[in-house]
Short mmCIF file of all heavy atoms in Angstrom, two decimals:
data_model
loop_
_atom_site.label_atom_id
_atom_site.label_comp_id
_atom_site.label_asym_id
_atom_site.label_seq_id
_atom_site.Cartn_x
_atom_site.Cartn_y
_atom_site.Cartn_z
N MET A 7 4.10 -127.00 17.13
CA MET A 7 4.53 -128.38 17.26
C MET A 7 3.32 -129.32 17.20
O MET A 7 2.33 -129.06 17.90
CB MET A 7 5.27 -128.58 18.52
CG MET A 7 5.68 -130.01 18.85
SD MET A 7 7.06 -130.10 20.02
CE MET A 7 7.44 -131.80 19.83
N ASP A 8 3.46 -130.35 16.46
CA ASP A 8 2.39 -131.33 16.37
C ASP A 8 2.63 -132.48 17.38
O ASP A 8 3.41 -133.34 17.16
CB ASP A 8 2.32 -131.89 14.97
CG ASP A 8 1.11 -132.81 14.80
OD1 ASP A 8 0.36 -133.00 15.80
OD2 ASP A 8 0.96 -133.39 13.76
N TYR A 9 1.94 -132.40 18.45
CA TYR A 9 2.17 -133.37 19.55
C TYR A 9 1.73 -134.78 19.18
O TYR A 9 2.21 -135.73 19.69
CB TYR A 9 1.44 -132.92 20.79
CG TYR A 9 2.02 -131.71 21.43
CD1 TYR A 9 1.43 -130.50 21.22
CD2 TYR A 9 3.15 -131.75 22.20
CE1 TYR A 9 1.98 -129.32 21.77
CE2 TYR A 9 3.73 -130.70 22.77
CZ TYR A 9 3.16 -129.41 22.54
OH TYR A 9 3.67 -128.33 23.09
N SER A 10 0.89 -134.86 18.17
CA SER A 10 0.47 -136.24 17.83
C SER A 10 1.55 -137.04 17.30
O SER A 10 1.55 -138.33 17.41
CB SER A 10 -0.70 -136.13 16.80
OG SER A 10 -0.22 -135.55 15.60
N ASN A 11 2.61 -136.40 16.75
CA ASN A 11 3.75 -137.21 16.24
C ASN A 11 4.50 -137.87 17.41
O ASN A 11 5.06 -138.95 17.19
CB ASN A 11 4.69 -136.25 15.57
CG ASN A 11 4.30 -135.94 14.13
OD1 ASN A 11 3.54 -136.72 13.54
ND2 ASN A 11 4.69 -134.83 13.61
N LEU A 12 4.40 -137.32 18.56
CA LEU A 12 5.11 -137.94 19.72
C LEU A 12 4.45 -139.28 20.13
O LEU A 12 5.09 -140.15 20.73
CB LEU A 12 5.04 -137.00 20.96
CG LEU A 12 5.78 -135.68 20.81
CD1 LEU A 12 5.44 -134.78 21.95
CD2 LEU A 12 7.28 -135.95 20.74
N PHE A 13 3.21 -139.38 19.71
CA PHE A 13 2.43 -140.63 20.11
C PHE A 13 2.29 -141.58 18.92
O PHE A 13 1.55 -142.54 19.05
CB PHE A 13 1.08 -140.21 20.66
CG PHE A 13 1.21 -139.53 21.95
CD1 PHE A 13 1.23 -138.12 22.03
CD2 PHE A 13 1.23 -140.26 23.16
CE1 PHE A 13 1.34 -137.53 23.24
CE2 PHE A 13 1.35 -139.63 24.39
CZ PHE A 13 1.37 -138.23 24.40
N LYS A 14 2.97 -141.26 17.83
CA LYS A 14 2.83 -142.04 16.65
C LYS A 14 3.15 -143.55 16.98
O LYS A 14 4.16 -143.87 17.52
CB LYS A 14 3.80 -141.59 15.59
CG LYS A 14 3.03 -141.42 14.22
CD LYS A 14 3.99 -140.95 13.17
CE LYS A 14 3.16 -140.49 11.92
NZ LYS A 14 3.99 -139.76 11.00
N GLY A 15 2.31 -144.40 16.56
CA GLY A 15 2.49 -145.83 16.81
C GLY A 15 2.20 -146.30 18.14
O GLY A 15 2.24 -147.48 18.44
N GLN A 16 1.87 -145.39 19.07
CA GLN A 16 1.64 -145.79 20.40
C GLN A 16 0.14 -146.17 20.53
O GLN A 16 -0.70 -145.68 19.86
CB GLN A 16 1.95 -144.62 21.36
CG GLN A 16 3.45 -144.36 21.40
CD GLN A 16 3.88 -143.88 22.79
OE1 GLN A 16 3.50 -144.48 23.84
NE2 GLN A 16 4.62 -142.81 22.78
N LYS A 17 -0.07 -147.01 21.52
CA LYS A 17 -1.44 -147.42 21.79
C LYS A 17 -1.91 -146.94 23.16
O LYS A 17 -1.12 -146.89 24.08
CB LYS A 17 -1.58 -148.98 21.73
CG LYS A 17 -1.01 -149.57 20.47
CD LYS A 17 -2.04 -149.53 19.32
CE LYS A 17 -1.54 -150.16 18.08
NZ LYS A 17 -2.32 -149.84 16.92
N ILE A 18 -3.14 -146.71 23.30
CA ILE A 18 -3.70 -146.38 24.60
C ILE A 18 -4.86 -147.39 24.92
O ILE A 18 -5.46 -147.87 23.97
CB ILE A 18 -4.19 -144.93 24.69
CG1 ILE A 18 -5.21 -144.60 23.60
CG2 ILE A 18 -3.07 -143.94 24.68
CD1 ILE A 18 -5.94 -143.27 23.87
N ASP A 19 -5.01 -147.57 26.15
CA ASP A 19 -6.05 -148.49 26.54
C ASP A 19 -7.37 -147.83 26.50
O ASP A 19 -7.59 -146.73 26.83
CB ASP A 19 -5.83 -149.07 28.02
CG ASP A 19 -4.55 -149.84 28.09
OD1 ASP A 19 -4.32 -150.64 27.15
OD2 ASP A 19 -3.80 -149.68 29.03
N LEU A 20 -8.35 -148.64 26.07
CA LEU A 20 -9.75 -148.15 26.09
C LEU A 20 -10.66 -149.24 26.59
O LEU A 20 -10.48 -150.41 26.32
CB LEU A 20 -10.14 -147.79 24.61
CG LEU A 20 -11.50 -147.15 24.39
CD1 LEU A 20 -11.53 -145.74 25.01
CD2 LEU A 20 -11.86 -147.08 22.93
N THR A 21 -11.59 -148.86 27.42
CA THR A 21 -12.56 -149.76 27.95
C THR A 21 -13.91 -149.47 27.39
O THR A 21 -14.37 -148.30 27.52
CB THR A 21 -12.57 -149.79 29.48
OG1 THR A 21 -11.29 -150.02 29.96
CG2 THR A 21 -13.54 -150.83 29.93
N CYS A 22 -14.54 -150.39 26.78
CA CYS A 22 -15.87 -150.18 26.20
C CYS A 22 -16.89 -149.89 27.39
O CYS A 22 -17.01 -150.72 28.27
CB CYS A 22 -16.31 -151.36 25.39
SG CYS A 22 -18.01 -151.21 24.82
N PRO A 23 -17.57 -148.82 27.30
CA PRO A 23 -18.56 -148.51 28.39
C PRO A 23 -19.79 -149.40 28.29
O PRO A 23 -20.52 -149.47 29.31
CB PRO A 23 -18.95 -147.04 28.10
CG PRO A 23 -18.67 -146.79 26.63
CD PRO A 23 -17.52 -147.76 26.30
N ASN A 24 -19.96 -150.10 27.24
CA ASN A 24 -21.09 -150.96 27.06
C ASN A 24 -20.82 -152.36 27.54
O ASN A 24 -21.59 -152.90 28.35
CB ASN A 24 -21.54 -150.99 25.57
CG ASN A 24 -22.85 -151.60 25.32
OD1 ASN A 24 -23.85 -151.37 26.13
ND2 ASN A 24 -22.95 -152.45 24.33
N CYS A 25 -19.76 -153.00 27.06
CA CYS A 25 -19.54 -154.41 27.42
C CYS A 25 -18.29 -154.57 28.32
O CYS A 25 -17.91 -155.65 28.70
CB CYS A 25 -19.36 -155.25 26.22
SG CYS A 25 -17.92 -154.97 25.20
N GLU A 26 -17.59 -153.41 28.54
CA GLU A 26 -16.39 -153.39 29.40
C GLU A 26 -15.24 -154.15 28.86
O GLU A 26 -14.33 -154.49 29.57
CB GLU A 26 -16.77 -153.89 30.86
CG GLU A 26 -17.78 -152.85 31.46
CD GLU A 26 -17.88 -153.02 32.92
OE1 GLU A 26 -17.52 -154.10 33.47
OE2 GLU A 26 -18.33 -152.10 33.61
N ARG A 27 -15.31 -154.51 27.61
CA ARG A 27 -14.14 -155.14 27.01
C ARG A 27 -13.00 -154.09 26.89
O ARG A 27 -13.23 -152.99 26.56
CB ARG A 27 -14.48 -155.64 25.61
CG ARG A 27 -13.25 -156.24 24.89
CD ARG A 27 -13.70 -156.94 23.65
NE ARG A 27 -12.50 -157.38 22.88
CZ ARG A 27 -12.48 -158.37 22.02
NH1 ARG A 27 -13.52 -159.00 21.78
NH2 ARG A 27 -11.32 -158.65 21.38
N LYS A 28 -11.78 -154.60 27.24
CA LYS A 28 -10.64 -153.72 27.09
C LYS A 28 -9.90 -154.01 25.81
O LYS A 28 -9.66 -155.13 25.45
CB LYS A 28 -9.65 -153.95 28.24
CG LYS A 28 -10.17 -153.46 29.56
CD LYS A 28 -9.08 -153.66 30.64
CE LYS A 28 -9.44 -152.94 31.93
NZ LYS A 28 -10.72 -153.31 32.51
N PHE A 29 -9.54 -152.97 25.06
CA PHE A 29 -8.74 -153.11 23.92
C PHE A 29 -7.90 -151.85 23.75
O PHE A 29 -8.08 -150.87 24.40
CB PHE A 29 -9.56 -153.40 22.70
CG PHE A 29 -10.67 -152.45 22.37
CD1 PHE A 29 -10.52 -151.49 21.39
CD2 PHE A 29 -11.87 -152.53 23.10
CE1 PHE A 29 -11.60 -150.55 21.20
CE2 PHE A 29 -12.93 -151.63 22.81
CZ PHE A 29 -12.81 -150.67 21.91
N LYS A 30 -6.96 -151.98 22.75
CA LYS A 30 -6.06 -150.85 22.56
C LYS A 30 -6.35 -150.12 21.28
O LYS A 30 -6.73 -150.79 20.28
CB LYS A 30 -4.59 -151.35 22.52
CG LYS A 30 -4.09 -151.77 23.86
CD LYS A 30 -2.67 -152.25 23.82
CE LYS A 30 -2.15 -152.80 25.16
NZ LYS A 30 -2.28 -151.90 26.28
N ILE A 31 -6.27 -148.85 21.28
CA ILE A 31 -6.48 -148.05 20.06
C ILE A 31 -5.24 -147.29 19.76
O ILE A 31 -4.44 -146.97 20.66
CB ILE A 31 -7.73 -147.18 20.13
CG1 ILE A 31 -7.60 -146.20 21.30
CG2 ILE A 31 -8.99 -147.98 20.27
CD1 ILE A 31 -8.44 -144.99 21.19
N ASP A 32 -5.11 -146.84 18.56
CA ASP A 32 -4.01 -145.93 18.19
C ASP A 32 -4.17 -144.64 18.92
O ASP A 32 -5.18 -144.02 18.92
CB ASP A 32 -4.06 -145.74 16.69
CG ASP A 32 -2.67 -145.45 16.09
OD1 ASP A 32 -2.11 -144.40 16.45
OD2 ASP A 32 -2.21 -146.28 15.34
N ALA A 33 -3.02 -144.18 19.52
CA ALA A 33 -3.13 -143.03 20.35
C ALA A 33 -3.49 -141.76 19.45
O ALA A 33 -4.07 -140.84 19.99
CB ALA A 33 -1.73 -142.76 21.02
N SER A 34 -3.04 -141.79 18.23
CA SER A 34 -3.35 -140.63 17.37
C SER A 34 -4.81 -140.38 17.19
O SER A 34 -5.26 -139.24 17.03
CB SER A 34 -2.74 -140.82 16.00
OG SER A 34 -3.26 -141.96 15.32
N LEU A 35 -5.62 -141.46 17.34
CA LEU A 35 -7.11 -141.30 17.22
C LEU A 35 -7.59 -140.43 18.36
O LEU A 35 -8.56 -139.64 18.13
CB LEU A 35 -7.79 -142.68 17.42
CG LEU A 35 -7.87 -143.52 16.18
CD1 LEU A 35 -8.45 -144.87 16.53
CD2 LEU A 35 -8.80 -142.90 15.12
N ALA A 36 -6.96 -140.47 19.49
CA ALA A 36 -7.42 -139.74 20.69
C ALA A 36 -7.10 -138.25 20.56
O ALA A 36 -7.61 -137.49 21.32
CB ALA A 36 -6.84 -140.33 21.93
N PHE A 37 -6.26 -137.90 19.60
CA PHE A 37 -5.96 -136.47 19.45
C PHE A 37 -7.04 -135.77 18.69
O PHE A 37 -7.19 -134.54 18.78
CB PHE A 37 -4.68 -136.31 18.70
CG PHE A 37 -3.52 -136.47 19.65
CD1 PHE A 37 -2.98 -137.70 19.79
CD2 PHE A 37 -3.00 -135.38 20.36
CE1 PHE A 37 -1.89 -137.88 20.69
CE2 PHE A 37 -1.95 -135.64 21.25
CZ PHE A 37 -1.41 -136.86 21.40
N LYS A 38 -7.79 -136.50 17.88
CA LYS A 38 -8.95 -135.79 17.18
C LYS A 38 -10.13 -135.73 18.11
O LYS A 38 -10.45 -136.67 18.81
CB LYS A 38 -9.25 -136.61 15.95
CG LYS A 38 -8.11 -136.73 14.99
CD LYS A 38 -8.45 -137.73 13.89
CE LYS A 38 -7.23 -138.11 13.08
NZ LYS A 38 -7.17 -139.51 12.72
N ARG A 39 -10.73 -134.61 18.10
CA ARG A 39 -11.94 -134.43 18.89
C ARG A 39 -13.09 -135.23 18.21
O ARG A 39 -13.16 -135.31 16.97
CB ARG A 39 -12.32 -132.93 18.99
CG ARG A 39 -11.36 -132.07 19.72
CD ARG A 39 -11.41 -132.43 21.21
NE ARG A 39 -10.10 -132.04 21.86
CZ ARG A 39 -9.85 -132.21 23.18
NH1 ARG A 39 -10.82 -132.75 23.98
NH2 ARG A 39 -8.72 -131.80 23.68
N ASN A 40 -13.90 -135.79 19.09
CA ASN A 40 -15.01 -136.54 18.60
C ASN A 40 -14.66 -137.76 17.74
O ASN A 40 -15.40 -138.15 16.86
CB ASN A 40 -15.99 -135.64 17.87
CG ASN A 40 -16.68 -134.70 18.78
OD1 ASN A 40 -17.24 -135.04 19.86
ND2 ASN A 40 -16.69 -133.42 18.45
N SER A 41 -13.54 -138.37 18.05
CA SER A 41 -13.16 -139.61 17.41
C SER A 41 -14.11 -140.72 17.82
O SER A 41 -14.44 -140.78 19.03
CB SER A 41 -11.78 -140.03 17.76
OG SER A 41 -10.78 -139.33 16.95
N VAL A 42 -14.54 -141.50 16.85
CA VAL A 42 -15.42 -142.56 17.25
C VAL A 42 -14.75 -143.94 16.80
O VAL A 42 -14.28 -144.04 15.68
CB VAL A 42 -16.79 -142.48 16.55
CG1 VAL A 42 -17.70 -143.69 16.84
CG2 VAL A 42 -17.46 -141.21 17.06
N VAL A 43 -14.72 -144.86 17.74
CA VAL A 43 -14.17 -146.18 17.38
C VAL A 43 -15.26 -147.25 17.68
O VAL A 43 -16.05 -147.09 18.51
CB VAL A 43 -12.91 -146.53 18.18
CG1 VAL A 43 -11.79 -145.57 17.76
CG2 VAL A 43 -13.16 -146.47 19.66
N ASN A 44 -15.14 -148.28 16.86
CA ASN A 44 -16.11 -149.40 17.13
C ASN A 44 -15.48 -150.37 18.11
O ASN A 44 -14.34 -150.83 17.96
CB ASN A 44 -16.36 -150.16 15.82
CG ASN A 44 -17.22 -149.35 14.92
OD1 ASN A 44 -18.22 -148.70 15.35
ND2 ASN A 44 -16.89 -149.19 13.64
N CYS A 45 -16.26 -150.74 19.13
CA CYS A 45 -15.85 -151.79 20.07
C CYS A 45 -15.60 -153.10 19.39
O CYS A 45 -16.40 -153.52 18.51
CB CYS A 45 -16.82 -151.91 21.20
SG CYS A 45 -16.46 -153.30 22.28
N LEU A 46 -14.53 -153.80 19.76
CA LEU A 46 -14.22 -155.06 19.09
C LEU A 46 -15.20 -156.16 19.62
O LEU A 46 -15.37 -157.23 19.00
CB LEU A 46 -12.78 -155.47 19.40
CG LEU A 46 -11.75 -154.50 18.82
CD1 LEU A 46 -10.33 -154.96 19.31
CD2 LEU A 46 -11.76 -154.44 17.30
N GLY A 47 -15.74 -155.92 20.77
CA GLY A 47 -16.62 -156.93 21.37
C GLY A 47 -18.03 -156.85 20.94
O GLY A 47 -18.63 -157.79 20.46
N CYS A 48 -18.62 -155.63 21.13
CA CYS A 48 -20.10 -155.48 20.93
C CYS A 48 -20.42 -154.54 19.78
O CYS A 48 -21.54 -154.25 19.59
CB CYS A 48 -20.75 -155.04 22.17
SG CYS A 48 -20.24 -153.33 22.69
N SER A 49 -19.40 -153.99 19.13
CA SER A 49 -19.58 -153.08 18.02
C SER A 49 -20.24 -151.70 18.41
O SER A 49 -20.66 -150.98 17.61
CB SER A 49 -20.50 -153.72 16.91
OG SER A 49 -19.79 -154.80 16.37
N GLU A 50 -20.29 -151.51 19.68
CA GLU A 50 -20.70 -150.19 20.16
C GLU A 50 -19.81 -149.16 19.57
O GLU A 50 -18.60 -149.24 19.54
CB GLU A 50 -20.64 -150.21 21.73
CG GLU A 50 -20.87 -148.87 22.32
CD GLU A 50 -22.33 -148.65 22.69
OE1 GLU A 50 -23.14 -149.49 22.29
OE2 GLU A 50 -22.67 -147.64 23.34
N LYS A 51 -20.40 -148.01 19.20
CA LYS A 51 -19.61 -146.89 18.74
C LYS A 51 -19.26 -146.02 19.99
O LYS A 51 -20.13 -145.53 20.67
CB LYS A 51 -20.45 -146.06 17.78
CG LYS A 51 -20.50 -146.72 16.36
CD LYS A 51 -21.17 -145.77 15.40
CE LYS A 51 -21.28 -146.32 13.99
NZ LYS A 51 -21.00 -147.73 13.77
N ILE A 52 -17.94 -145.93 20.24
CA ILE A 52 -17.51 -145.24 21.43
C ILE A 52 -16.93 -143.92 21.01
O ILE A 52 -15.92 -143.83 20.25
CB ILE A 52 -16.46 -146.06 22.14
CG1 ILE A 52 -16.89 -147.52 22.38
CG2 ILE A 52 -16.02 -145.35 23.41
CD1 ILE A 52 -15.87 -148.46 22.78
N ASN A 53 -17.49 -142.80 21.50
CA ASN A 53 -16.89 -141.54 21.29
C ASN A 53 -15.84 -141.29 22.30
O ASN A 53 -16.04 -141.34 23.52
CB ASN A 53 -17.99 -140.44 21.44
CG ASN A 53 -17.46 -139.06 21.07
OD1 ASN A 53 -16.30 -138.71 21.45
ND2 ASN A 53 -18.32 -138.34 20.45
N LEU A 54 -14.56 -141.11 21.84
CA LEU A 54 -13.44 -141.05 22.70
C LEU A 54 -13.56 -139.93 23.78
O LEU A 54 -12.98 -139.92 24.82
CB LEU A 54 -12.11 -140.94 21.97
CG LEU A 54 -11.80 -142.17 21.16
CD1 LEU A 54 -10.43 -141.97 20.49
CD2 LEU A 54 -11.80 -143.44 21.92
N ASP A 55 -14.28 -138.86 23.32
CA ASP A 55 -14.38 -137.73 24.23
C ASP A 55 -15.18 -138.04 25.48
O ASP A 55 -15.19 -137.32 26.47
CB ASP A 55 -15.05 -136.54 23.49
CG ASP A 55 -14.04 -135.85 22.57
OD1 ASP A 55 -12.90 -136.35 22.50
OD2 ASP A 55 -14.38 -134.82 22.04
N THR A 56 -15.88 -139.15 25.48
CA THR A 56 -16.74 -139.51 26.63
C THR A 56 -16.09 -140.59 27.44
O THR A 56 -16.69 -141.08 28.40
CB THR A 56 -18.11 -140.07 26.17
OG1 THR A 56 -17.91 -141.26 25.47
CG2 THR A 56 -18.83 -139.04 25.24
N THR A 57 -14.90 -140.92 27.20
CA THR A 57 -14.23 -142.00 27.92
C THR A 57 -13.14 -141.45 28.80
O THR A 57 -12.69 -140.35 28.72
CB THR A 57 -13.60 -143.04 26.99
OG1 THR A 57 -12.52 -142.47 26.30
CG2 THR A 57 -14.58 -143.56 26.02
N ASP A 58 -12.63 -142.37 29.66
CA ASP A 58 -11.53 -141.98 30.49
C ASP A 58 -10.22 -141.78 29.71
O ASP A 58 -9.34 -141.10 30.18
CB ASP A 58 -11.24 -143.10 31.58
CG ASP A 58 -12.31 -143.06 32.64
OD1 ASP A 58 -13.09 -142.06 32.72
OD2 ASP A 58 -12.42 -144.03 33.40
N SER A 59 -10.20 -142.41 28.55
CA SER A 59 -8.96 -142.28 27.74
C SER A 59 -8.67 -140.84 27.44
O SER A 59 -7.54 -140.44 27.37
CB SER A 59 -9.15 -143.07 26.50
OG SER A 59 -9.25 -144.47 26.81
N ARG A 60 -9.70 -140.09 27.15
CA ARG A 60 -9.53 -138.70 26.84
C ARG A 60 -8.89 -137.98 28.07
O ARG A 60 -7.91 -137.22 27.90
CB ARG A 60 -10.91 -138.02 26.57
CG ARG A 60 -10.88 -136.51 26.60
CD ARG A 60 -10.03 -135.91 25.48
NE ARG A 60 -10.59 -136.22 24.17
CZ ARG A 60 -9.82 -136.27 23.09
NH1 ARG A 60 -8.56 -136.01 23.16
NH2 ARG A 60 -10.26 -136.54 21.87
N LYS A 61 -9.36 -138.23 29.24
CA LYS A 61 -8.83 -137.58 30.46
C LYS A 61 -7.38 -137.99 30.63
O LYS A 61 -6.49 -137.21 30.90
CB LYS A 61 -9.65 -137.98 31.66
CG LYS A 61 -10.88 -137.12 31.83
CD LYS A 61 -11.65 -137.62 33.06
CE LYS A 61 -13.07 -137.97 32.65
NZ LYS A 61 -13.70 -139.01 33.55
N LYS A 62 -7.16 -139.31 30.44
CA LYS A 62 -5.77 -139.81 30.58
C LYS A 62 -4.82 -139.12 29.60
O LYS A 62 -3.71 -138.70 29.97
CB LYS A 62 -5.75 -141.33 30.30
CG LYS A 62 -5.18 -142.18 31.45
CD LYS A 62 -5.10 -143.63 31.00
CE LYS A 62 -6.37 -144.42 31.25
NZ LYS A 62 -6.34 -145.80 30.71
N LEU A 63 -5.28 -139.02 28.37
CA LEU A 63 -4.47 -138.47 27.35
C LEU A 63 -4.20 -136.98 27.56
O LEU A 63 -3.10 -136.51 27.38
CB LEU A 63 -5.09 -138.69 26.01
CG LEU A 63 -4.09 -138.58 24.84
CD1 LEU A 63 -3.26 -139.84 24.79
CD2 LEU A 63 -4.77 -138.34 23.52
N ASP A 64 -5.21 -136.30 27.98
CA ASP A 64 -5.09 -134.85 28.28
C ASP A 64 -4.06 -134.68 29.35
O ASP A 64 -3.28 -133.69 29.30
CB ASP A 64 -6.41 -134.27 28.72
CG ASP A 64 -7.30 -134.06 27.54
OD1 ASP A 64 -6.82 -134.10 26.38
OD2 ASP A 64 -8.51 -133.77 27.74
N LYS A 65 -3.99 -135.57 30.28
CA LYS A 65 -3.02 -135.40 31.35
C LYS A 65 -1.61 -135.71 30.82
O LYS A 65 -0.68 -134.93 31.16
CB LYS A 65 -3.34 -136.45 32.48
CG LYS A 65 -2.55 -136.17 33.75
CD LYS A 65 -2.62 -137.31 34.74
CE LYS A 65 -1.59 -137.09 35.87
NZ LYS A 65 -0.22 -136.96 35.43
N ILE A 66 -1.46 -136.69 29.98
CA ILE A 66 -0.17 -137.00 29.40
C ILE A 66 0.25 -135.82 28.60
O ILE A 66 1.42 -135.39 28.54
CB ILE A 66 -0.27 -138.28 28.53
CG1 ILE A 66 -0.50 -139.46 29.37
CG2 ILE A 66 1.06 -138.51 27.71
CD1 ILE A 66 -0.90 -140.74 28.56
N MET A 67 -0.65 -135.26 27.79
CA MET A 67 -0.33 -134.09 26.90
C MET A 67 0.16 -132.96 27.80
O MET A 67 1.16 -132.21 27.39
CB MET A 67 -1.60 -133.62 26.21
CG MET A 67 -2.04 -134.57 25.13
SD MET A 67 -1.00 -134.38 23.64
CE MET A 67 -1.66 -132.81 23.07
N LYS A 68 -0.46 -132.71 28.92
CA LYS A 68 -0.12 -131.60 29.77
C LYS A 68 1.30 -131.79 30.23
O LYS A 68 2.15 -130.86 30.24
CB LYS A 68 -1.00 -131.55 31.02
CG LYS A 68 -1.57 -130.17 31.26
CD LYS A 68 -2.42 -130.12 32.50
CE LYS A 68 -3.89 -130.09 32.07
NZ LYS A 68 -4.77 -130.23 33.25
N ASP A 69 1.63 -133.04 30.65
CA ASP A 69 3.06 -133.36 31.07
C ASP A 69 4.04 -133.09 29.98
O ASP A 69 5.15 -132.60 30.15
CB ASP A 69 3.17 -134.75 31.57
CG ASP A 69 2.34 -134.90 32.89
OD1 ASP A 69 2.04 -133.89 33.48
OD2 ASP A 69 2.08 -136.09 33.23
N PHE A 70 3.64 -133.50 28.79
CA PHE A 70 4.52 -133.35 27.63
C PHE A 70 4.81 -131.92 27.29
O PHE A 70 5.92 -131.53 27.11
CB PHE A 70 3.87 -134.03 26.35
CG PHE A 70 4.53 -135.31 25.98
CD1 PHE A 70 3.79 -136.48 26.08
CD2 PHE A 70 5.82 -135.38 25.50
CE1 PHE A 70 4.34 -137.72 25.74
CE2 PHE A 70 6.40 -136.57 25.18
CZ PHE A 70 5.63 -137.75 25.28
N LYS A 71 3.81 -131.13 27.43
CA LYS A 71 3.91 -129.70 27.09
C LYS A 71 4.82 -129.04 28.08
O LYS A 71 5.59 -128.15 27.71
CB LYS A 71 2.54 -129.05 27.03
CG LYS A 71 1.81 -129.32 25.76
CD LYS A 71 0.41 -128.75 25.73
CE LYS A 71 -0.29 -129.10 24.45
NZ LYS A 71 -1.68 -128.74 24.41
N LYS A 72 4.76 -129.48 29.30
CA LYS A 72 5.68 -128.96 30.30
C LYS A 72 7.11 -129.25 29.92
O LYS A 72 7.99 -128.41 30.07
CB LYS A 72 5.30 -129.53 31.68
CG LYS A 72 4.45 -128.61 32.53
CD LYS A 72 4.23 -129.22 33.88
CE LYS A 72 2.81 -129.51 34.18
NZ LYS A 72 2.52 -130.55 35.13
N MET A 73 7.29 -130.49 29.45
CA MET A 73 8.68 -130.93 29.14
C MET A 73 9.27 -130.12 28.00
O MET A 73 10.43 -129.93 27.93
CB MET A 73 8.66 -132.40 28.78
CG MET A 73 8.77 -133.37 29.95
SD MET A 73 8.31 -135.05 29.48
CE MET A 73 9.47 -135.32 28.17
N PHE A 74 8.39 -129.69 27.06
CA PHE A 74 8.93 -129.03 25.90
C PHE A 74 8.93 -127.51 25.96
O PHE A 74 9.26 -126.86 25.06
CB PHE A 74 8.14 -129.50 24.69
CG PHE A 74 8.46 -130.85 24.27
CD1 PHE A 74 7.72 -131.96 24.66
CD2 PHE A 74 9.57 -131.08 23.43
CE1 PHE A 74 8.08 -133.26 24.28
CE2 PHE A 74 9.97 -132.34 23.06
CZ PHE A 74 9.18 -133.43 23.45
N LYS A 75 8.52 -127.00 27.12
CA LYS A 75 8.52 -125.58 27.26
C LYS A 75 9.91 -125.01 27.40
O LYS A 75 10.77 -125.66 27.97
CB LYS A 75 7.73 -125.19 28.56
CG LYS A 75 6.40 -124.49 28.13
CD LYS A 75 5.55 -124.19 29.32
CE LYS A 75 4.13 -123.95 28.90
NZ LYS A 75 3.18 -124.01 29.96
ZN1 ZN B 3 -18.24 -153.18 23.77
#
């Protein structure tokens, strides 16, 4: 099962570690390892694996997998 389909079109919150600007990114981005997004505020390249979003998403994924077992 491709879990990324469950999150299609959904957004997750991301906070730039550099300028602390909050913005939303496509949730599907967070499924790829080492996804990099550019901050809208300071153009910092943010590796999603180093942010809280990854942890948040992993938790959501875990809950999802439980539901589908
Ligand atoms: Zn920034």
Side-chain angles (χ1 to χ4, degrees):
M7 177 160 189
D8 184 2
Y9 292 99
S10 62
N11 280 335
L12 295 171
F13 291 92
K14 227 179 191 169
Q16 295 212 45
K17 305 281 184 194
I18 55 169
D19 294 319
L20 184 68
T21 304
C22 174
N24 191 43
C25 70
E26 299 197 335
R27 176 171 173 156
K28 287 183 170 59
F29 53 100
K30 288 182 186 301
I31 59 158
D32 207 295
S34 63
L35 276 174
F37 280 90
K38 298 172 195 141
R39 294 289 157 179
N40 291 311
S41 277
V42 175
V43 295
N44 289 314
C45 173
L46 299 174
C48 67
S49 296
E50 171 90 353
K51 285 184 176 18
I52 307 164
N53 186 321
L54 294 186
D55 282 4
T56 65
T57 67
D58 285 348
S59 295
R60 164 67 64 206
K61 276 178 237 154
K62 235 187 274 174
L63 202 76
D64 282 347
K65 193 191 171 302
I66 295 169
M67 288 282 286
K68 228 182 256 171
D69 293 342
F70 255 113
K71 283 178 181 170
K72 261 184 241 156
M73 275 166 55
F74 284 96
K75 248 176 200 166

